[in-house]
Amino acid sequence: MDERIHEHAAVLVDWSARIDPGDNVVVSVAEGAHELGVAVAEAVGERGGTLLAVNDSAELSRAYLQGRAAGNTDFDDAPAHELAMLEATDVYLRLGGGRNTAATADVPSETRQAARRARTEVREARLATDWVSTVHPTRSLAQQAGMSFEAYQDFVYNAVLRDWESLADEMAQLKTILDEGESVHIETPTTDLRLSIENRTAVNSTASVADDSHNLPSGEVFTAPADANGTITFDLPRTVDGTRLVNVEFTIENNEVVDYAADQGEETLGELLETDDGASRLGELGIGMNRGIDRITDRILFDEKMAETIHLAIGRAYDACLPDGETGNESAIHVDLLADMSTDSRLAVDGEVIQRNGSFRWEEGFTEESTG
Amino acid sequence: MDERIHEHAAVLVDWSARIDPGDNVVVSVAEGAHELGVAVAEAVGERGGTLLAVNDSAELSRAYLQGRAAGNTDFDDAPAHELAMLEATDVYLRLGGGRNTAATADVPSETRQAARRARTEVREARLATDWVSTVHPTRSLAQQAGMSFEAYQDFVYNAVLRDWESLADEMAQLKTILDEGESVHIETPTTDLRLSIENRTAVNSTASVADDSHNLPSGEVFTAPADANGTITFDLPRTVDGTRLVNVEFTIENNEVVDYAADQGEETLGELLETDDGASRLGELGIGMNRGIDRITDRILFDEKMAETIHLAIGRAYDACLPDGETGNESAIHVDLLADMSTDSRLAVDGEVIQRNGSFRWEEGFTEESTG
């Protein structure tokens, strides 16, 4: 077995999930994630966790939903066996990595939606555990990323096998700046956007449940803007519900998208913005800081953490960013859109430039004057 | 997908497990049983069961136990997540079929034993559900049986895809004879054994939870002898704990094996008989009636149901065969040994021949006089 699979498992159970002896651990293994499952099982055993492995096969799910569609679509919204399991689970490790990203493409959408609605309680019970989501590199995901399998494995392990403690410290600096700051100004040749972040709390997304961060890899700092005004171009592509959005442009007034355009996917973008009242307002400003991620692979788990990028989300804000008792932007959607900050860019907080051309002010290569 | 996989799934959920709408169903899928898992998931969905799929990978188990052996062998004997799941489960379907029957061969035996001991409560909780065990034909099992993959698939589906209702009716005839009978006499050129079955109840093993029968395939009628005297040769081979037992011969007096021999595995046989007091006494007489099983494949799930064979077990008797309040033979072991009854044989109950040369008296081909 590739030694990096064992290293991935060790980061997952030690840094991310912090497994202790006696923890009841559920490991959910996708069709193509068997090898990572084996490495994680060994690591859980070594740490003295009690293992229960769940089968997360997209082909099984598709067959079950097709059977339901043909026979009985009256889904139980409180499946006793699964809920009872989750309620007694300390740590839930989700190992993604299928063999076909389109494995469930032919499930009728009404069946899919009914199944998803019925899983609200299950989802909440899972989110109440110390859960962590990661992916094992598979040929299917390499294909989705447009990469060879070897190159994709290198990509995933570069993103996952970081010095997380050091990255967490670096991100903490940015969190402090954002927590203390009142306004953010983002500038590129096609972007000039000001956001208010007064009284908001930034989240240091360290890939560890200790920081309430549940993705591996992670490596972003994010907050919830209170107000936004200006224009922005999202020059990194994003696929949403099967539609590719390319070069999305927003004009934003009083935190509301008042004009939009896109080179590709403009109709889908319009539908997204009209989902509900909150869908045309911003719910998140995120700043990618994972230098192990060097390219967009059209998988948000990786893309939004890529260093030298920022993302804004239309839709729902995260409670963790809001003052106690305050409600942030509410919406049924949360769609991240990404912009490149590697060249000709400035990110300033309260008028002070904290990142220029992709380099933070505490990094080598940061220059006081823009070279752009 | 081979249409027989769907037929196997249909027999499993309809005849064996009797799944009703709303049932909480756990499907445990072995490494090589993915296709059967997919077919079963679809069938469970069609019947309106609520599916939770569990990963039963021998490689994951091995890795977990190796991790435990290296780090922490203090197993939890009441794993809350797994027990809670099982206690809320109506139907548990175990789909065997690995990719390597030796996948766990290098786990230290003390770790394996400690893990097994700690799973007593889990096992009991699983046995309290409407559980059914079956296997998907894999290349690994074909190899174990010494058969090509194609031939092994034919073998498994011949065994599983029976007219179970008709076979259950036929087996019920034998059950009635055994329930009403007081003594059994087994004769072949190398066997002359008399067993008392007075006041014992035979079990009609129909492969359906409705008859408290939990294996698919099944197709045997068995009871617990109260006494046995005579000699018997088990001329069909059996592998126990990795040792092949060939041509085992017993001399039995007052239900106790007083002399034994074997062409192969005699030492292991001796150790088995000395496990405890009950290990040298008989716990079961079983009569195979599944005519879909036409050869020994060294897998007891199939072998003991093969038509024109009988088996006796040394060790523990099944409670279902005993009068209320009576304790049968007690032992930590239950090892089935098989004898061919296809030629030169007679099976008589209370002096009346009910099977001769493999044919029951209600079957075509049964002759009043022995041709042997």
Side-chain angles (χ1 to χ4, degrees):
Chain A
M1 189 186 285
D2 188 327
E3 187 50 37
R4 296 174 299 181
I5 303 176
H6 286 293
E7 293 168 16
H8 187 174
V11 169
L12 184 66
V13 305
D14 293 331
W15 173 264
S16 295
R18 316 265 159 141
I19 288 177
D20 292 315
D23 276 353
N24 286 318
V25 181
V26 170
V27 178
S28 158
V29 187
E31 248 150 4
H34 175 70
E35 279 196 298
L36 180 58
V38 167
V40 168
E42 185 175 345
V44 168
E46 268 175 25
R47 276 60 165 183
T50 299
L51 185 78
L52 175 58
V54 159
N55 179 317
D56 179 28
S57 154
E59 289 181 2
L60 245 80
S61 295
R62 180 236 171 227
Y64 175 62
L65 293 176
Q66 291 287 30
R68 282 293 200 157
N72 185 320
T73 53
D74 185 17
F75 288 96
D76 182 356
D77 59 7
H81 50 355
E82 193 163 5
L83 284 175
M85 175 188 79
L86 289 169
E87 280 158 13
T89 294
D90 300 305
V91 175
Y92 191 100
L93 303 175
R94 190 172 202 169
L95 315 184
R99 296 193 297 204
N100 173 6
T101 58
T104 63
D106 58 356
V107 174
S109 63
E110 59 272 22
T111 308
R112 189 194 306 270
Q113 283 159 14
R116 192 184 297 147
R117 273 195 304 275
R119 290 186 68 75
T120 303
E121 267 196 63
V122 167
R123 199 160 37 240
E124 281 167 10
R126 194 175 63 233
L127 296 181
T129 69
D130 280 344
W131 64 277
V132 184
S133 233
T134 193
V135 298
H136 183 62
T138 63
R139 288 170 177 81
S140 155
L141 294 178
Q143 175 177 322
Q144 189 188 37
M147 294 168 75
S148 73
F149 183 44
E150 289 262 333
Y152 188 70
Q153 288 175 307
D154 292 345
F155 167 79
V156 169
Y157 295 121
N158 265 338
V160 164
L161 303 179
R162 309 306 300 167
D163 178 346
W164 285 105
E165 208 158 330
S166 156
L167 180 52
D169 287 347
E170 190 192 342
M171 292 194 296
Q173 295 182 60
L174 180 58
K175 171 180 159 57
T176 302
I177 292 168
L178 294 175
D179 285 351
E180 293 170 354
E182 296 184 355
S183 69
V184 173
H185 187 193
I186 305 168
E187 290 174 280
T188 75
T190 54
T191 292
D192 185 356
L193 186 70
R194 289 170 192 276
L195 305 105
S196 161
I197 55 166
E198 205 175 341
N199 292 325
R200 302 301 171 108
T201 304
V203 170
N204 183 359
S205 189
T206 64
S208 171
V209 296
D211 294 308
D212 207 20
S213 172
H214 300 273
N215 290 333
L216 178 67
S218 193
E220 62 162 326
V221 176
F222 63 88
T223 189
D227 193 14
N229 287 279
T231 57
I232 183 163
T233 298
F234 299 99
D235 50 0
L236 299 175
R238 174 79 210 278
T239 299
V240 178
D241 291 341
T243 302
R244 200 163 169 85
L245 307 179
V246 177
N247 276 328
V248 168
E249 291 173 40
F250 281 167
T251 301
I252 301 174
E253 290 175 8
N254 300 322
N255 209 32
E256 178 126 14
V257 177
V258 293
D259 198 16
Y260 66 90
D263 287 356
Q264 216 177 297
E266 191 171 287
E267 193 179 328
T268 298
L269 183 64
E271 287 165 9
L272 283 170
L273 289 164
E274 282 166 24
T275 308
D276 50 33
D277 283 354
S280 59
R281 288 194 293 267
L282 299 185
E284 182 191 352
L285 162 66
I287 299 167
M289 292 183 67
N290 186 331
R291 291 202 173 275
I293 301 174
D294 62 354
R295 72 184 76 191
I296 293 296
T297 56
D298 208 4
R299 197 168 180 86
I300 197 68
L301 173 66
F302 293 93
D303 294 350
E304 67 174 2
K305 282 92 176 190
M306 180 174 163
E308 309 192 3
T309 70
I310 58 150
H311 54 279
L312 295 175
I314 48 172
R316 183 174 46 81
Y318 290 109
D319 287 346
C321 303
L322 305 170
D324 273 349
E326 192 173 314
T327 314
N329 191 36
E330 287 185 37
S331 173
I333 69 165
H334 179 98
V335 176
D336 295 294
L337 296 164
L338 292 93
D340 181 16
M341 297 288 281
S342 65
T343 51
D344 290 342
S345 79
R346 289 201 301 180
L347 180 71
V349 175
D350 295 348
E352 189 180 348
V353 177
I354 56 158
Q355 188 193 51
R356 178 178 288 125
N357 302 337
S359 297
F360 286 100
R361 69 180 196 208
W362 55 81
E363 290 182 301
E364 272 184 51
F366 179 79
T367 52
E368 286 298 321
E369 288 304 308
S370 169
T371 57
Chain B
M1 189 186 286
D2 187 328
E3 186 51 37
R4 295 174 300 180
I5 303 176
H6 285 293
E7 293 169 17
H8 187 173
V11 170
L12 184 66
V13 306
D14 293 331
W15 173 262
S16 295
R18 316 265 160 140
I19 288 177
D20 291 316
D23 276 352
N24 285 319
V25 180
V26 169
V27 178
S28 159
V29 187
E31 248 150 3
H34 176 71
E35 279 196 297
L36 179 59
V38 167
V40 168
E42 185 175 344
V44 168
E46 268 176 25
R47 276 59 164 186
T50 299
L51 185 76
L52 174 57
V54 160
N55 180 316
D56 179 27
S57 154
E59 290 181 359
L60 244 81
S61 295
R62 180 235 171 229
Y64 175 63
L65 293 176
Q66 291 288 31
R68 281 292 199 157
N72 185 321
T73 53
D74 184 19
F75 288 97
D76 182 358
D77 60 7
H81 52 355
E82 193 163 4
L83 284 174
M85 175 188 79
L86 290 168
E87 280 158 13
T89 294
D90 300 306
V91 175
Y92 191 100
L93 304 175
R94 192 174 200 168
L95 315 184
R99 297 193 295 204
N100 173 6
T101 57
T104 64
D106 58 356
V107 175
S109 64
E110 59 273 20
T111 309
R112 190 195 307 271
Q113 282 160 15
R116 192 185 297 147
R117 274 195 303 275
R119 289 187 69 74
T120 304
E121 266 197 61
V122 167
R123 198 160 39 241
E124 280 167 12
R126 194 176 61 234
L127 297 180
T129 69
D130 280 343
W131 64 279
V132 184
S133 234
T134 193
V135 298
H136 183 62
T138 63
R139 287 169 178 81
S140 155
L141 294 178
Q143 175 178 324
Q144 189 188 35
M147 294 169 75
S148 72
F149 182 45
E150 289 261 334
Y152 189 69
Q153 288 176 306
D154 292 345
F155 168 79
V156 169
Y157 294 121
N158 264 340
V160 165
L161 304 178
R162 308 305 301 168
D163 178 346
W164 286 104
E165 208 158 330
S166 155
L167 179 53
D169 287 347
E170 189 191 343
M171 292 194 296
Q173 295 181 60
L174 180 58
K175 172 181 158 55
T176 302
I177 291 168
L178 294 175
D179 285 352
E180 292 169 355
E182 296 184 357
S183 69
V184 172
H185 187 194
I186 306 168
E187 290 174 282
T188 75
T190 55
T191 292
D192 185 357
L193 186 70
R194 289 171 192 275
L195 305 105
S196 160
I197 55 167
E198 203 175 342
N199 292 324
R200 301 302 171 107
T201 305
V203 170
N204 183 359
S205 190
T206 63
S208 171
V209 296
D211 293 309
D212 207 19
S213 172
H214 301 274
N215 290 333
L216 179 67
S218 195
E220 62 163 324
V221 176
F222 62 88
T223 189
D227 192 13
N229 287 279
T231 58
I232 182 162
T233 298
F234 299 100
D235 50 1
L236 299 174
R238 174 78 210 280
T239 299
V240 178
D241 290 341
T243 302
R244 200 162 169 85
L245 306 180
V246 176
N247 275 329
V248 168
E249 291 173 41
F250 281 167
T251 302
I252 301 173
E253 288 175 10
N254 300 321
N255 208 32
E256 178 127 13
V257 177
V258 294
D259 197 16
Y260 65 89
D263 287 355
Q264 216 178 297
E266 192 172 284
E267 193 180 327
T268 297
L269 182 65
E271 286 164 11
L272 282 169
L273 288 165
E274 282 166 22
T275 308
D276 51 32
D277 282 357
S280 59
R281 288 194 293 267
L282 298 185
E284 183 190 350
L285 161 67
I287 299 166
M289 294 182 66
N290 186 330
R291 292 202 172 275
I293 301 174
D294 62 355
R295 72 183 77 190
I296 293 297
T297 56
D298 208 4
R299 196 169 182 86
I300 197 68
L301 173 66
F302 293 94
D303 293 350
E304 66 175 1
K305 282 91 178 189
M306 180 174 163
E308 309 191 4
T309 70
I310 59 149
H311 53 280
L312 296 176
I314 47 172
R316 181 175 47 82
Y318 290 109
D319 286 348
C321 302
L322 306 170
D324 272 348
E326 192 173 314
T327 314
N329 192 35
E330 287 185 39
S331 173
I333 68 165
H334 179 100
V335 176
D336 295 293
L337 296 164
L338 292 93
D340 181 17
M341 297 288 281
S342 64
T343 50
D344 289 343
S345 79
R346 288 202 299 180
L347 180 71
V349 176
D350 294 347
E352 188 180 349
V353 176
I354 57 158
Q355 188 193 50
R356 176 177 288 124
N357 302 338
S359 296
F360 286 100
R361 68 179 196 211
W362 55 80
E363 290 182 300
E364 273 184 51
F366 178 80
T367 52
E368 286 299 321
E369 288 304 309
S370 170
T371 56

